[in-house]
Structure formats: structure tokens, C-alpha cells
Amino acid sequence: MHHYLHDISMVFAGEAGQGLQTVTETLLRILHKSGYCVFSCTEYMSRIRGGCNTTEIRITDKKRGAYLERIDMLFALSPLAVEHLKSRIRSGTLLFAEKTQFAERWDEHYIDTPFRKFAVETGSPVYSNTVAAGIVSGIIGLPIERFTDYLGEQFAAKGEDTVSKNRIAAKLGYDFGRRTAADKAILLPSPAASGSSGRLLMDGNTALGIGAIASGCNFISSYPMSPGTGLLTFLAAKSKTFGIVVDQAEDEIAAINAGIGASYGGARAVVSTSGGGFDLMQEGVSLAGMLETPIVIHIGQRPGPATGLPTRTEQGDLNLALHAGHGDFARAILAPGTLEELIESMQHAFRLANRFQIPVFVLTDQFLLDAITTIERKYIKRLPFESSIIKTKAGYQRFAFTDDGLSPRGVPGYGDGLVRVDSDEHDESGLITESFEMRQSMVEKRLKRKKALSDAALMPTIIGSLSEASTVVIAWGSNRGVLEEALALIGNKKLAGLHFAQPYPLNPEIKPLLEKRKLVVMENNATGQFADLLSLHTGRTISHRIVKATGQPFSVEEVAEAIKALIE
Amino acid sequence: MTKTPTRFDMPLTTDVAWCPGCGNYMLQSAVKMALHELAVDRKNLVMVSGIGQAAKAPQYLNAHMFNGLHGRALPAALGIKLSNRNLVVVVESGDGDMYGEGGNHFIHAIRRNMDITVIVHNNMVYGLTKGQASPTSQRGMTTPVQVEGVMLEPFNPLAVALALNAPFIARAYAGDVEETKKLIMQAISFRGFSLVDVFQPCVVFNKVNTYQWFKENTVYLPESHDATDRAAAFGLATATGKLPLGVFFRSEGRELYEDLIGVGKTPLYKQKPPDEKAFQNLIDTYR
Ligand SMILES: Cc1ncc(C[n+]2csc(CCOP(=O)(O)OP(=O)(O)O)c2C)c(N)n1
Ligand code: SF4
């Protein structure tokens, strides 16, 4: 008998173009509507057809933000899938596949599952996805009505025939699933009593976009590059409703310069890219530093250098964001780790950019952006709107000296003043200067804001209890979910975690949190970029680094093992 | 050097970094006079440039100014125009800046067709970095880098702009301030992307294309030239012999990028974030 009362991990694997996305999306929607907590992440190859892509869906009784190495049920839509996942298949794994597809590779332990057969019976192989979703719903015991209702909504526009054919396909699959579940004695959790009310389902890209809209972002100029493209697409889709100006730039250089131009004109501008594209944007970061013009830069990280692994994940661009641009000026870097944090970070980024008139980075990665999770509506925070724009008077000086180094920000066309900015070193009015004294004062002015910026830096989230902990495991960005779950799995009071949603600058108040404890940093890159930064800024030694740069995110088991090995 | 004062003049104390006798001064007066005569409101005028000697022009003109990075005047101008379409955006920069470092942006700005004016100081040389060849340098001109003379075919901005169907294309010679002013006035009044490529003598680094040379090698387009005839304009832009000056091509009514992407009249700085209801409606779609 298989019990999956608190936590099922299902993996769907097949070729690109086989419709995995449709199957998992359908299931996620229905599971969500039925009140389950779900977590889903995808890994895919850089190709449009063929290869092997997988999607993992976890059904849990708690909110989770990571994937498991363990696979409870594998739905293999192609023989390649089994090969691809063999290290994660264990004796308890139920493997669903269609015998006719596997030919000599068939193994008698597999469960012959008519994904395609039923579709053809219904009338066309196009119904395979519906059959597959039906089979899975049957196995895990979702109410069939939920499914047929969903199909009604989904295909309403395509007409009655499409709806009814899909319902037939769904029913065939569903009944098969129920029979199989009974035969194999699969026991599943009952959905949360609360149902899905008050809970939303979305992916990281959506959360990031919601954050941008919440903060009044009204300009995006970007050049497509995975996984940075999602934000561009999202804001484009919402542009009419929310008055967002969207420009697909000719390259990343144009994108950031247009963003800075728009910001100079008073827009709340964002640009989105990945590491390779950001390489080209660096001159714009310098420019924003010199012009003291706000700009929010989203970097959806993927493995580098150069074009790297285009569809995989990594946290390898922290150093890039930290050091982009030449000369000395202030900046901030945010790295959200959950849907809530994605929504909040984007708003926070706009506030910091506006308040301190600097470039602000939001670092995400493929894993976080593509992952789909449930989120409690009540935890979605909207930060109050702040604008630094003033109406200018005649004689206005864009770079006027002030105590905190921040000059009131005017924009052209609003007030009687002239707004003059220059990438050359300039005086208070924006005119070019080569005076050494003026240069010195301007450098100081640009750096003065660093103190307030550090003081305003977000404090890390404490996971577990620091008071009893002798070892603290530290993560940033997308690793929040995996760290939380790994620590819970180990369940050792001597361990606690810290998650940094703002890796730079660091709040001076963090020092006491790190004192008298062994520090371990885990991150999805080869060298431990954050570990270096933390060590440099706090003077503390990092005793161990858990790093991974294969292009995959960490699994819960993997992190738990690595941490256990350190404390034993 | 401006004879008639204009409202765009900077204080007399302004320290101008151009060499004495440079063609930039004459082009500068033509620009100021054009703006003055068009009665452009200073408060709505943004002068945008990249980097170079020519790109310093906005420093010496009393208006809003965005002096950005080398080659990046056009993307910045795009952002500025899209953030507030009530602004009059004039880009003024050098040939290296616009056609070399900024070549890709030049192509795509024309494709977009925003309502901006681009004035290029075409001195056929890099001034600020001391005399290397620019994309428009003529074959054979020797420089400290092109020691055996420029080997490459010069970039033809007018032909490229025509190929991309830029709706307003003109060429001027800075030595003739009055005519240059008139061409710039037409360009600024034009609704859409307008290009004025201006021959500008660099008295220090370009000993080939001197005032005298331009005088001898340019000629105004005949009255009979039909500026709506794109093929004729192309012929003139690529013909050998004396280089024509004037409006090569002018075609009204091409759609503006601002309109195509739906930029409203309200400047973006006036926009507030969505109210709570609109925001809740948005997140409701993820229930
Ligand atoms: C990214 C970058 N590369 C190079 C330079 C150096 N640079 C400054 S101006 C210039 C050429 C300018 O030539 P042009 O646009 O023809 O202007 P001119 O000085 O002749 O008026 C160069 C290469 C720079 N400032 N920035
Ligand atoms: S270097 Fe040439 S273009 Fe530049 S200011 Fe001097 S004369 Fe003019």
C-alpha cells in the first residue's frame, strides 16, 4: 500500500511539444481549486521540439517552495524520460507509461497507462493531454466534476463539440485512474478543509510583474533573453489596463539607455534581462550612477558565462550586479525567495531607486520565475507609493548639494526649472566640469547616500530559532524554500537558517545574528559569491559553503544531506 | 557665433570647449536660431546627445539637456519621448556617435519613427579622440590610426535613412548658417523622425574636408527636385560628383511609434499606481 498523506511528488516527463505544460497547468488549476497546496517547477531543454522536459508537482499539506529528489509517481510520456530521471526513480516509485510507446524498453514494473490510446478512441491524438490529466485526477482522487467544469471554462470559446470531446477523453482517463488507484491501493490526502478561498496560484514571473504594477511601474524597455523575458511579456499583456509603455529594444544597450531616458522624463522604469544581456547593460548602470537617475534592473539568472545553459538555473550573477559599471557609486540588490517576496521586492526596488536615485537590481533565476506555488492572498503586501519628483522653480539645479547627498529630483516639463544631466563629471547645474574640487564634492555626494541605504536594508528572515543554534545556514534569493524544508527535515535545534532577500548592501544590524556561531552559506553557484560578500562585509569567516552549479536547483534531500554531513 | 541673440543663448561666461574656427559654432547658431524662430517653448525642449565634441552642443544651449553615453543618444531620446510626448526632443551629435557607436540605434530609431529630430554634426572624423577615421571619412584620408589612408567605403547616412523609409531626410552645410537654419526648422516642425546630416568642418583634424572643400564640392538641390520621389532621392544620395544639400525626401503621414504603441497625452510622471480596486481585480485573476 502506498500512503501519500502529506506529501506527494509527481513528475511528468516527455518531449518538448508533447503538451506537458497543458497537462500540468490543468492539474495545478484543479488541485488548487480543490484546496490543495501545490508547488511545481519545471526543467526544460533549450529546444522547441523533442528532448526531455520535466515538470514536478508536489501536493502538500503545507506551503512548500522546493522540489524533492524523491519521485512518488512518474508519468513518462516518452522512453527518454525514464532514462533522464533514472537517478531519482526508486523502488517505491510508481511509473506510469504507455506500453506501445516503449516497445523493447518496457519493464514489467511499469503501469501500462493508455495516454494516447484513449485519445485516439475519442477521435484524435490531440486529446492526449486531457486523457493524461484525467488519469492523474483519477489516481489521486480529485472529484471529476472539478475537472469537467474546468474543461467547460477552458474550451467554451472553441464550441460545444470541443468541450464534449474533451469531457469524453477526461472521463475515459479518469475511470482508468480510479481503477488503477484501487488496484494499487494508493492512499491520498484529503484536500484542506478551507478550500482554495483566499489562496492564489501563480508563477514567479507573475508575482514579479504584480509587484511592478503595484509600485506604479509604467515603462519597460527590454530585449528578450530567458528567463528575463517573462516580465516583459507579463507587463506587455497588462499594458493597456495599467497604462504601461512597453518597448522591445533592439538590444540590451538600447533597453537600459531608454529606461534611463524614460526615468529622466519621470517614468517609473524597469528593464529585464539575463546575465548575458546584462553584460551589455553595464554602461547603463554607470550612467544611472552618474545621472543619479532611478532605474530598476531585473536579472533573471541562468548559468553563464556567455550564453551558458539557456534554460537552466543558477545564482551566478551576484558579482556581476555588485560590480557592474565603473567608478564608485551606490546601488542596491534585492533577491526575493518566495512569491510574497517577489511581489514585495519589486515594490521595494522602485522605492529604493526613487528615494536614493540609484540603480536597483532584482535578482531572480529560472527556477524561481518558472515555479508555480500557492500564495495566501492576505500576505500580499502593497507598499505605500513614494515619488521623489518635485515641481521645479527657475534656477533649479538637478545636482544641488544637500546634507544627505540627495538633490530634489525635477523632470523636464514640470515647473519652471531646467533639468540638465550629463554623463561627464558635472557641477550642480549639470554642466561639464573639470574642477578637481567639484569632482571631489560630486563623488562624495554620490556616495553619501550609502549610509542611509545600508540602514534601510532589509533584515534577513530567521528560520528556526537562533538562540539555541550553534550553526547557521545562510541562503539568498531562490533558495529560501529549499533551506526551510531541509532544516525542518533535519529537525535539529542546534541549526537555524537565515535568508537574505537583500544581499546588498547589508544592514549593519545583522552582525549580532552571526556572532558566536558557525556559518554555512548555501548558494546555486560554483564559488560562493554571497559567502565572499558576507565575509568581506562582516569580517566573519564562512566555515563551509554548499554550492552547486550544474544548472539545476538544489533538492530538499540534497541540502539536508549536505547540512547533516557538516554537523555530524 | 551668434549675431542675433536668441532665448536659447547661454550666459556669456559659458566655457565652450570647441576649437576656434570650428564648424560646430555655426551649426550651433543655426540650431538656436531655428528653435528661436519656431518659438519653441524652452520648458518643453529637451536636447539629447551622446559623447564627442559635437555631443557637447546641448551644454551650450539653454534648455533641458540629457548628455548621455557614447552612441546612446537615440535610445535615451526614445525613453524621454515615450515618457512625455509633449516634449520637443532634438538629438544633436557627431557622426562617430550616431553612425559608428550608435549605428544599430540609428537603424532602429528610423524603423520606429518617433517624432524626434536628429541633427548630426558630420565632420567625417573623430574630433574628441583626436583625429581617427569616422564611418563617414573619405577613402584615402590618412590619420594616426589609418596610417595608409582610410580603406573602407564611407557610410552613407542619407541612403541608409532612405532605405529604411525615414520620412524626412535633409543635408546641410554648417558654413551656410541661414540655409542650415531653414532646414533645421523644417525638420523640427516635421511630425515624425527627421534627419538633418550637417557637413561640419573640423579645422583641427580633418585637413581634407575643409571649408573650401565643402564650398567646392556641395551644391543645393534644384528647385525642380520632387522631395516626395523616394527613388529620385536615392539617386541623388548615391550619385558621385558634387554633394547635394537640401531636403532629399519628405513624406507626410507615416504612423508615429508613440501612436502605434498607445502612448497617451499624460506624461508618465503624472501617473499614479493603480488604485486598490484595479489591483485586487488583477490578483483576482489568479484565484
Ligand atoms: C564607450 C565609449 N567609447 C569610446 C569613447 C571615446 N570617444 C569619445 S568621443 C568619440 C568619437 C566622437 O566622434 P564624433 O561623434 O564624430 O564627434 P566629434 O568629436 O568628431 O564631434 C569617442 C570614440 C567614449 N567616450 N565612450
Ligand atoms: S576637434 Fe574639430 S570638430 Fe572638434 S571642436 Fe575642434 S575643430 Fe571642432
Side-chain angles (χ1 to χ4, degrees), chain A residues 283, chain B residues 18 22 24 50-56 69-72 93-101 120-130 132 134-136 200 202 205:
Chain A
E283 59 165 44
Chain B
W18 289 330
C22 173
N24 281 337
I51 291 297
Q53 284 290 80
K56 287 177 185 157
L69 295 175
H70 190 39
R72 313 304 171 217
S93 237
D95 48 301
D97 192 70
M98 193 60 65
Y99 307 139
E101 188 95 44
V120 183
H121 297 227
N122 186 355
N123 56 12
M124 305 173 179
V125 76
Y126 281 7
L128 191 56
T129 48
K130 298 195 189 307
Q132 305 81 7
S134 93
T136 54
Q200 170 247 315
C202 166
F205 295 114

CSV table of all heavy atoms in Angstrom, one decimal, chain A residues 283, chain B residues 18 22 24 50-56 69-72 93-101 120-130 132 134-136 200 202 205, ligand 1:
chain,number,residue,atom,x,y,z
A,283,GLU,N,27.1,49.6,-19.0
A,283,GLU,CA,27.4,51.0,-19.2
A,283,GLU,C,26.2,51.9,-18.7
A,283,GLU,O,26.4,53.0,-18.2
A,283,GLU,CB,27.6,51.3,-20.7
A,283,GLU,CG,26.5,50.9,-21.6
A,283,GLU,CD,26.6,51.6,-23.0
A,283,GLU,OE1,27.7,51.5,-23.6
A,283,GLU,OE2,25.6,52.0,-23.5
B,18,TRP,N,35.0,74.0,-27.7
B,18,TRP,CA,35.3,73.8,-29.1
B,18,TRP,C,36.5,74.7,-29.6
B,18,TRP,O,36.7,75.8,-29.1
B,18,TRP,CB,34.1,74.2,-30.0
B,18,TRP,CG,32.9,73.2,-29.9
B,18,TRP,CD1,33.0,71.9,-29.6
B,18,TRP,CD2,31.5,73.5,-30.0
B,18,TRP,NE1,31.8,71.3,-29.6
B,18,TRP,CE2,30.8,72.3,-29.8
B,18,TRP,CE3,30.8,74.6,-30.3
B,18,TRP,CZ2,29.5,72.2,-29.9
B,18,TRP,CZ3,29.4,74.5,-30.3
B,18,TRP,CH2,28.7,73.3,-30.1
B,22,CYS,N,36.0,76.3,-35.5
B,22,CYS,CA,35.3,75.0,-35.8
B,22,CYS,C,33.9,75.3,-36.3
B,22,CYS,O,33.2,76.2,-36.0
B,22,CYS,CB,35.2,74.3,-34.5
B,22,CYS,SG,34.2,72.8,-34.7
B,24,ASN,N,31.3,73.7,-35.6
B,24,ASN,CA,30.3,73.5,-34.6
B,24,ASN,C,29.6,74.8,-34.2
B,24,ASN,O,28.4,74.8,-33.9
B,24,ASN,CB,30.9,72.8,-33.4
B,24,ASN,CG,31.2,71.4,-33.5
B,24,ASN,OD1,30.5,70.7,-34.3
B,24,ASN,ND2,32.1,70.8,-32.7
B,50,GLY,N,25.0,62.3,-27.4
B,50,GLY,CA,25.8,61.2,-26.9
B,50,GLY,C,27.1,61.8,-26.4
B,50,GLY,O,27.1,62.6,-25.5
B,51,ILE,N,28.3,61.3,-26.9
B,51,ILE,CA,29.6,61.8,-26.5
B,51,ILE,C,30.4,62.2,-27.7
B,51,ILE,O,30.4,61.5,-28.7
B,51,ILE,CB,30.3,60.7,-25.6
B,51,ILE,CG1,29.5,60.6,-24.3
B,51,ILE,CG2,31.7,61.1,-25.3
B,51,ILE,CD1,29.5,61.8,-23.4
B,52,GLY,N,31.2,63.2,-27.5
B,52,GLY,CA,32.1,63.7,-28.6
B,52,GLY,C,32.1,65.2,-28.5
B,52,GLY,O,31.4,65.8,-27.6
B,53,GLN,N,32.8,65.8,-29.3
B,53,GLN,CA,32.9,67.3,-29.4
B,53,GLN,C,31.5,67.8,-29.7
B,53,GLN,O,30.9,68.7,-29.1
B,53,GLN,CB,33.9,67.8,-30.4
B,53,GLN,CG,35.3,67.7,-29.9
B,53,GLN,CD,35.6,68.7,-28.8
B,53,GLN,OE1,35.3,68.4,-27.6
B,53,GLN,NE2,36.2,69.8,-29.2
B,54,ALA,N,30.9,67.3,-30.8
B,54,ALA,CA,29.6,67.7,-31.3
B,54,ALA,C,28.6,67.5,-30.2
B,54,ALA,O,27.7,68.3,-30.0
B,54,ALA,CB,29.2,66.9,-32.5
B,55,ALA,N,28.7,66.4,-29.5
B,55,ALA,CA,27.7,66.0,-28.5
B,55,ALA,C,27.7,67.0,-27.3
B,55,ALA,O,26.8,66.9,-26.5
B,55,ALA,CB,28.0,64.6,-28.0
B,56,LYS,N,28.7,67.9,-27.2
B,56,LYS,CA,28.6,68.9,-26.2
B,56,LYS,C,27.7,70.0,-26.5
B,56,LYS,O,27.4,70.9,-25.7
B,56,LYS,CB,30.0,69.5,-25.9
B,56,LYS,CG,31.0,68.5,-25.2
B,56,LYS,CD,32.3,69.1,-25.1
B,56,LYS,CE,33.3,68.0,-24.5
B,56,LYS,NZ,34.7,68.3,-24.8
B,69,LEU,N,25.5,58.7,-23.0
B,69,LEU,CA,26.7,57.9,-23.3
B,69,LEU,C,27.0,57.9,-24.8
B,69,LEU,O,26.2,58.2,-25.6
B,69,LEU,CB,26.5,56.5,-22.8
B,69,LEU,CG,26.4,56.3,-21.4
B,69,LEU,CD1,26.0,54.8,-21.1
B,69,LEU,CD2,27.6,56.7,-20.6
B,70,HIS,N,28.2,57.5,-25.1
B,70,HIS,CA,28.7,57.5,-26.5
B,70,HIS,C,27.8,56.6,-27.3
B,70,HIS,O,27.7,55.4,-27.0
B,70,HIS,CB,30.2,57.0,-26.5
B,70,HIS,CG,30.8,57.2,-27.9
B,70,HIS,ND1,30.5,58.3,-28.7
B,70,HIS,CD2,31.7,56.5,-28.6
B,70,HIS,CE1,31.2,58.2,-29.8
B,70,HIS,NE2,31.9,57.1,-29.8
B,71,GLY,N,27.2,57.1,-28.3
B,71,GLY,CA,26.4,56.3,-29.2
B,71,GLY,C,24.9,56.1,-28.8
B,71,GLY,O,24.1,55.5,-29.5
B,72,ARG,N,24.6,56.5,-27.6
B,72,ARG,CA,23.3,56.2,-27.0
B,72,ARG,C,22.3,57.3,-26.9
B,72,ARG,O,21.4,57.3,-26.2
B,72,ARG,CB,23.5,55.6,-25.6
B,72,ARG,CG,24.5,54.6,-25.4
B,72,ARG,CD,24.4,53.4,-26.3
B,72,ARG,NE,25.6,52.5,-26.2
B,72,ARG,CZ,26.1,51.9,-27.2
B,72,ARG,NH1,25.6,51.9,-28.4
B,72,ARG,NH2,27.2,51.2,-27.0
B,93,SER,N,24.3,65.3,-32.3
B,93,SER,CA,25.5,64.5,-32.0
B,93,SER,C,26.4,64.4,-33.2
B,93,SER,O,26.1,64.9,-34.3
B,93,SER,CB,25.1,63.2,-31.5
B,93,SER,OG,25.7,63.0,-30.2
B,94,GLY,N,27.6,63.7,-33.0
B,94,GLY,CA,28.5,63.6,-34.1
B,94,GLY,C,28.3,62.4,-35.0
B,94,GLY,O,27.5,61.5,-34.7
B,95,ASP,N,29.1,62.4,-36.0
B,95,ASP,CA,28.9,61.2,-37.0
B,95,ASP,C,29.5,59.9,-36.4
B,95,ASP,O,28.9,58.9,-36.6
B,95,ASP,CB,29.6,61.5,-38.3
B,95,ASP,CG,31.1,62.1,-38.1
B,95,ASP,OD1,31.2,63.1,-37.4
B,95,ASP,OD2,32.0,61.4,-38.6
B,96,GLY,N,30.5,60.0,-35.6
B,96,GLY,CA,31.0,58.8,-34.9
B,96,GLY,C,30.0,58.3,-33.9
B,96,GLY,O,29.7,57.1,-33.9
B,97,ASP,N,29.5,59.2,-33.2
B,97,ASP,CA,28.5,58.9,-32.2
B,97,ASP,C,27.2,58.2,-32.8
B,97,ASP,O,26.7,57.2,-32.3
B,97,ASP,CB,28.1,60.2,-31.5
B,97,ASP,CG,27.3,60.0,-30.2
B,97,ASP,OD1,27.9,59.5,-29.2
B,97,ASP,OD2,26.1,60.2,-30.2
B,98,MET,N,26.7,58.9,-33.8
B,98,MET,CA,25.4,58.5,-34.4
B,98,MET,C,25.6,57.3,-35.4
B,98,MET,O,24.8,56.4,-35.3
B,98,MET,CB,24.9,59.7,-35.2
B,98,MET,CG,23.4,59.5,-35.6
B,98,MET,SD,22.3,59.3,-34.2
B,98,MET,CE,22.5,60.8,-33.3
B,99,TYR,N,26.6,57.3,-36.2
B,99,TYR,CA,26.7,56.2,-37.3
B,99,TYR,C,27.7,55.1,-36.9
B,99,TYR,O,27.6,54.1,-37.5
B,99,TYR,CB,27.1,56.9,-38.6
B,99,TYR,CG,26.3,58.0,-39.0
B,99,TYR,CD1,26.9,59.2,-39.6
B,99,TYR,CD2,24.9,58.0,-38.9
B,99,TYR,CE1,26.1,60.2,-40.1
B,99,TYR,CE2,24.1,59.1,-39.3
B,99,TYR,CZ,24.8,60.2,-39.9
B,99,TYR,OH,24.0,61.3,-40.3
B,100,GLY,N,28.6,55.4,-36.0
B,100,GLY,CA,29.6,54.4,-35.5
B,100,GLY,C,29.1,53.6,-34.3
B,100,GLY,O,28.3,52.7,-34.4
B,101,GLU,N,29.4,54.2,-33.2
B,101,GLU,CA,28.9,53.5,-31.9
B,101,GLU,C,27.4,53.4,-31.9
B,101,GLU,O,26.9,52.4,-31.3
B,101,GLU,CB,29.4,54.4,-30.7
B,101,GLU,CG,29.2,53.7,-29.4
B,101,GLU,CD,30.4,52.9,-28.8
B,101,GLU,OE1,31.5,53.4,-28.9
B,101,GLU,OE2,30.3,51.8,-28.3
B,120,VAL,N,22.9,65.7,-37.1
B,120,VAL,CA,24.3,65.1,-37.0
B,120,VAL,C,25.3,66.0,-37.5
B,120,VAL,O,25.3,66.5,-38.6
B,120,VAL,CB,24.3,63.8,-37.8
B,120,VAL,CG1,25.7,63.1,-37.6
B,120,VAL,CG2,23.2,62.8,-37.4
B,121,HIS,N,26.3,66.3,-36.6
B,121,HIS,CA,27.5,67.1,-36.9
B,121,HIS,C,28.4,66.2,-37.7
B,121,HIS,O,29.1,65.4,-37.1
B,121,HIS,CB,28.2,67.6,-35.7
B,121,HIS,CG,27.4,68.6,-34.8
B,121,HIS,ND1,27.9,69.7,-34.4
B,121,HIS,CD2,26.1,68.5,-34.4
B,121,HIS,CE1,27.0,70.4,-33.6
B,121,HIS,NE2,25.9,69.6,-33.6
B,122,ASN,N,28.4,66.2,-39.0
B,122,ASN,CA,29.1,65.2,-39.8
B,122,ASN,C,30.4,65.9,-40.2
B,122,ASN,O,30.5,66.5,-41.3
B,122,ASN,CB,28.3,64.8,-41.0
B,122,ASN,CG,29.0,63.7,-41.8
B,122,ASN,OD1,30.1,63.3,-41.5
B,122,ASN,ND2,28.3,63.2,-42.8
B,123,ASN,N,31.5,65.7,-39.4
B,123,ASN,CA,32.8,66.3,-39.7
B,123,ASN,C,33.8,65.2,-40.3
B,123,ASN,O,34.9,65.5,-40.5
B,123,ASN,CB,33.4,67.0,-38.6
B,123,ASN,CG,33.6,66.1,-37.4
B,123,ASN,OD1,33.4,64.8,-37.5
B,123,ASN,ND2,33.9,66.6,-36.2
B,124,MET,N,33.2,64.1,-40.6
B,124,MET,CA,34.0,63.0,-41.2
B,124,MET,C,35.3,62.6,-40.5
B,124,MET,O,36.2,62.2,-41.1
B,124,MET,CB,34.3,63.4,-42.7
B,124,MET,CG,33.0,63.7,-43.5
B,124,MET,SD,33.4,64.4,-45.1
B,124,MET,CE,31.8,64.7,-45.8
B,125,VAL,N,35.2,62.8,-39.2
B,125,VAL,CA,36.4,62.4,-38.4
B,125,VAL,C,36.0,62.4,-36.9
B,125,VAL,O,34.9,62.9,-36.6
B,125,VAL,CB,37.5,63.5,-38.6
B,125,VAL,CG1,37.2,64.8,-37.8
B,125,VAL,CG2,38.9,63.0,-38.2
B,126,TYR,N,36.8,61.7,-36.1
B,126,TYR,CA,36.6,61.7,-34.7
B,126,TYR,C,37.3,62.9,-34.1
B,126,TYR,O,38.6,62.9,-34.2
B,126,TYR,CB,37.1,60.4,-34.0
B,126,TYR,CG,36.2,59.2,-34.2
B,126,TYR,CD1,35.1,59.2,-34.9
B,126,TYR,CD2,36.5,58.0,-33.5
B,126,TYR,CE1,34.3,58.1,-35.0
B,126,TYR,CE2,35.7,56.9,-33.6
B,126,TYR,CZ,34.6,57.0,-34.4
B,126,TYR,OH,33.8,55.9,-34.5
B,127,GLY,N,36.6,63.8,-33.6
B,127,GLY,CA,37.3,65.0,-33.0
B,127,GLY,C,37.8,64.8,-31.6
B,127,GLY,O,39.0,64.8,-31.4
B,128,LEU,N,36.9,64.4,-30.7
B,128,LEU,CA,37.3,64.4,-29.3
B,128,LEU,C,38.5,63.4,-29.0
B,128,LEU,O,39.3,63.6,-28.1
B,128,LEU,CB,36.1,64.0,-28.4
B,128,LEU,CG,36.3,64.2,-26.9
B,128,LEU,CD1,36.7,65.6,-26.6
B,128,LEU,CD2,35.0,63.9,-26.2
B,129,THR,N,38.5,62.3,-29.8
B,129,THR,CA,39.6,61.4,-29.5
B,129,THR,C,40.8,61.6,-30.5
B,129,THR,O,41.6,60.7,-30.7
B,129,THR,CB,39.1,59.9,-29.7
B,129,THR,OG1,38.4,59.8,-30.9
B,129,THR,CG2,38.2,59.5,-28.5
B,130,LYS,N,40.8,62.8,-31.1
B,130,LYS,CA,42.0,63.3,-31.8
B,130,LYS,C,42.2,62.6,-33.1
B,130,LYS,O,43.3,62.1,-33.4
B,130,LYS,CB,43.2,63.2,-30.9
B,130,LYS,CG,43.1,64.1,-29.7
B,130,LYS,CD,44.5,64.3,-29.1
B,130,LYS,CE,44.5,64.9,-27.8
B,130,LYS,NZ,44.1,66.0,-27.2
B,132,GLN,N,40.9,60.2,-35.4
B,132,GLN,CA,40.8,58.9,-36.1
B,132,GLN,C,39.7,59.0,-37.2
B,132,GLN,O,38.9,59.9,-37.1
B,132,GLN,CB,40.5,57.7,-35.1
B,132,GLN,CG,41.5,57.6,-34.0
B,132,GLN,CD,41.2,58.6,-32.8
B,132,GLN,OE1,40.2,59.3,-32.9
B,132,GLN,NE2,42.1,58.7,-31.9
B,134,SER,N,36.2,58.3,-39.0
B,134,SER,CA,34.9,58.0,-38.5
B,134,SER,C,34.2,57.2,-39.7
B,134,SER,O,34.8,57.1,-40.7
B,134,SER,CB,34.1,59.4,-38.3
B,134,SER,OG,33.4,59.8,-39.5
B,135,PRO,N,33.0,56.8,-39.4
B,135,PRO,CA,32.3,56.0,-40.5
B,135,PRO,C,32.1,56.8,-41.8
B,135,PRO,O,32.0,56.2,-42.9
B,135,PRO,CB,31.0,55.6,-39.9
B,135,PRO,CG,31.2,55.7,-38.4
B,135,PRO,CD,32.2,56.8,-38.2
B,136,THR,N,32.1,58.1,-41.7
B,136,THR,CA,31.9,58.9,-42.9
B,136,THR,C,33.2,59.4,-43.5
B,136,THR,O,33.1,60.2,-44.5
B,136,THR,CB,30.9,60.1,-42.7
B,136,THR,OG1,31.4,60.8,-41.6
B,136,THR,CG2,29.5,59.6,-42.3
B,200,GLN,N,30.1,69.5,-41.3
B,200,GLN,CA,30.7,70.5,-40.4
B,200,GLN,C,32.2,70.4,-40.4
B,200,GLN,O,32.8,69.4,-40.1
B,200,GLN,CB,30.2,70.1,-39.0
B,200,GLN,CG,30.8,70.7,-37.8
B,200,GLN,CD,31.6,69.8,-36.9
B,200,GLN,OE1,31.2,68.7,-36.6
B,200,GLN,NE2,32.8,70.2,-36.6
B,202,CYS,N,35.9,70.3,-39.5
B,202,CYS,CA,36.7,70.2,-38.3
B,202,CYS,C,38.1,70.8,-38.7
B,202,CYS,O,38.8,70.2,-39.5
B,202,CYS,CB,36.9,68.8,-37.8
B,202,CYS,SG,38.2,68.5,-36.6
B,205,PHE,N,41.4,68.4,-37.2
B,205,PHE,CA,41.7,67.0,-37.5
B,205,PHE,C,41.4,66.6,-39.0
B,205,PHE,O,41.8,65.6,-39.4
B,205,PHE,CB,41.1,66.0,-36.6
B,205,PHE,CG,41.6,66.2,-35.2
B,205,PHE,CD1,40.8,66.6,-34.1
B,205,PHE,CD2,43.0,65.9,-34.9
B,205,PHE,CE1,41.3,66.8,-32.9
B,205,PHE,CE2,43.5,66.1,-33.6
B,205,PHE,CZ,42.7,66.5,-32.6
C,1,LIG,C1,32.0,53.8,-24.8
C,1,LIG,C2,33.0,54.9,-25.3
C,1,LIG,N1,33.9,54.5,-26.2
C,1,LIG,C3,34.7,55.5,-26.6
C,1,LIG,C4,34.7,56.8,-26.2
C,1,LIG,C5,35.7,57.8,-26.6
C,1,LIG,N2,35.1,58.7,-27.6
C,1,LIG,C6,34.7,59.9,-27.2
C,1,LIG,S1,34.1,60.8,-28.4
C,1,LIG,C7,34.5,59.7,-29.6
C,1,LIG,C8,34.2,59.9,-31.0
C,1,LIG,C9,33.4,61.0,-31.3
C,1,LIG,O1,33.3,61.2,-32.6
C,1,LIG,P1,32.2,62.1,-33.3
C,1,LIG,O2,30.9,61.5,-32.8
C,1,LIG,O3,32.4,62.1,-34.7
C,1,LIG,O4,32.2,63.5,-32.6
C,1,LIG,P2,33.3,64.7,-32.8
C,1,LIG,O5,34.1,64.6,-31.6
C,1,LIG,O6,34.0,64.5,-34.0
C,1,LIG,O7,32.4,65.9,-32.8
C,1,LIG,C10,35.0,58.6,-28.9
C,1,LIG,C11,35.4,57.4,-29.7
C,1,LIG,C12,33.7,57.0,-25.2
C,1,LIG,N3,33.6,58.2,-24.6
C,1,LIG,N4,32.9,56.1,-24.8
